[in-house]
């Protein structure tokens, strides 16, 4: 189902939509609710010059309140809203980025499986939104968690995908984690009965052939270290 929104005519009704979105966002079956929220956020950021609008402030407050509850469904809805705010609310989340990242990563061991999986998928979003701050304050904690998930069959695929997406954002900062990543690749292939001698991660060196870049990557050229991280890791979840 594709939702078509015309910003000029729809903007006056956004407050009503926000009031009705909280409950659907808490239902994991209603994925379209997150898409609708994203469309509304795009309209707000396009039409209102100020980054701190009443709409966005109210949404963030609701998200923070939702994470303080014991309901896994409410927490899940708040996490989905966090993702859309990071992806579609421009610079609004800049000041709240540190607290948001701490809050999200604090839930990485939540009892609910869907919440834990959502946390894994949110790590690349955090890395993309503010790469420098993420690399400095959160990358080690986040990567240790993602590497731990590679040992869990239920989380392995989504964790590999998340690691590849993080590598796309952080580039050469991923080099310190290449060795354990490659070890997990070997283990996974051995479990499938494959035999493959993977080379040990090499230090940054000039490539002799053009590097491959992800279509979603904002950078078109990389050092050997970041390109290796990208090429060795990005495709693992597919």
């Amino acid at each position: 189902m594709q939702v078509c929104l015309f910003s000029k005519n729809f903007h006056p009704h956004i407050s009503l939509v926000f009031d009705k979105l909280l409950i659907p966002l808490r239902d994991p079956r209603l994925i379209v609710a997150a898409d609708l929220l994203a469309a509304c956020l795009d309209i707000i950021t396009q039409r209102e010059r100020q980054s701190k609008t009443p709409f966005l402030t109210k949404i963030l407050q609701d998200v923070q309140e939702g994470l303080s509850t014991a309901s896994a469904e409410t927490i899940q809805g708040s996490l989905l809203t966090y993702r859309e705010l990071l992806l579609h609310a421009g610079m609004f989340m800049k000041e709240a980025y540190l607290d948001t990242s701490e809050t999200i990563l604090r839930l990485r061991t939540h009892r609910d499986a869907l919440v834990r999986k959502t946390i894994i998928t949110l790590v690349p979003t955090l890395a993309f939104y503010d790469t420098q701050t993420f690399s400095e304050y959160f990358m080690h904690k986040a990567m240790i968690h993602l590497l731990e998930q590679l040992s869990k069959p239920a989380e392995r695929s989504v964790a590999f995908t998340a690691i590849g997406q993080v590598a796309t954002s952080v580039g050469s900062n991923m080099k310190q984690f290449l060795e354990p990543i490659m070890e997990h690749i070997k283990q996974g292939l051995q479990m499938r009965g494959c035999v493959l001698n993977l080379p040990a991660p090499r230090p940054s060196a000039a490539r002799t052939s053009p590097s491959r870049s992800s279509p979603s990557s904002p950078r078109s050229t990389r050092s050997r270290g970041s390109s290796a991280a990208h090429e060795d890791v990005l495709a693992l979840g597919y």
Side-chain angles (χ1 to χ4, degrees):
M1 177 179 180
Q2 183 176 3
V3 181
C4 297
L5 301 175
F6 297 94
S7 60
K8 182 177 180 180
N9 296 325
F10 190 81
H11 186 266
H13 307 289
I14 281 183
S15 60
L16 177 62
V17 174
F18 283 152
D19 290 340
K20 303 296 184 181
L21 264 180
L22 291 179
I23 294 178
L25 280 169
R26 296 169 185 172
D27 189 338
R29 299 168 298 177
L30 299 178
I31 301 177
V32 70
D35 294 336
L36 178 57
L37 175 60
C40 291
L41 293 174
D42 285 338
I43 292 173
I44 290 176
T45 54
Q46 290 170 8
R47 289 182 58 85
E48 301 185 19
R49 295 181 179 180
Q50 294 182 349
S51 61
K52 292 185 177 181
T53 69
F55 293 132
L56 298 180
T57 302
K58 178 63 166 57
I59 294 172
L60 183 58
Q61 291 174 348
D62 289 339
V63 168
Q64 293 168 339
E65 292 175 3
L67 291 181
S68 65
T69 68
S71 167
E73 291 78 10
T74 302
I75 292 174
Q76 172 68 8
S78 293
L79 292 174
L80 294 177
T81 305
Y82 260 137
R83 175 158 54 203
E84 302 310 327
L85 284 170
L86 289 165
L87 293 175
H88 298 280
M91 298 300 293
F92 171 74
M93 292 295 291
K94 191 71 173 179
E95 293 183 5
Y97 178 82
L98 286 173
D99 289 339
T100 297
S101 300
E102 287 282 5
T103 300
I104 290 174
L105 291 175
R106 195 181 305 127
L107 292 168
R108 64 189 183 276
T109 58
H110 193 273
R111 68 182 187 281
D112 185 79
L114 182 58
V115 170
R116 294 196 304 271
K117 186 165 291 188
T118 302
I119 296 297
I120 294 174
T121 65
L122 274 170
V123 171
T125 304
L126 295 174
F128 176 78
Y129 185 84
D130 189 341
T131 303
Q132 181 176 351
T133 303
F134 175 83
S135 299
E136 184 175 354
Y137 293 100
F138 304 109
M139 183 173 176
H140 187 269
K141 180 190 296 184
M143 283 302 303
I144 292 300
H145 177 63
L146 293 180
L147 288 170
E148 290 174 349
Q149 306 318 299
L150 295 180
S151 301
K152 304 175 182 179
E155 315 291 352
R156 184 179 298 124
S157 178
V158 67
F160 266 133
T161 301
I163 290 172
Q165 292 170 340
V166 170
T168 300
S169 293
V170 304
S172 60
N173 288 331
M174 182 63 80
K175 288 189 295 184
Q176 59 184 308
F177 300 103
L178 281 181
E179 186 173 348
I181 291 172
M182 300 303 284
E183 184 60 34
H184 278 286
I185 296 174
K186 289 182 180 180
Q187 293 175 4
L189 292 172
Q190 289 171 356
M191 291 174 60
R192 295 186 179 186
C194 300
V195 178
L196 181 62
N197 294 321
L198 293 174
R202 290 179 292 178
S204 180
R207 288 178 62 89
T208 57
S209 59
S211 63
R212 194 175 53 177
S213 61
S214 168
S216 61
S217 172
R219 305 176 180 87
S220 59
T221 58
R222 296 184 182 276
S223 66
R224 166 58 187 139
S226 60
S227 180
H230 178 226
E231 293 181 4
D232 293 342
V233 175
L234 184 59
L236 298 178
Y238 299 93

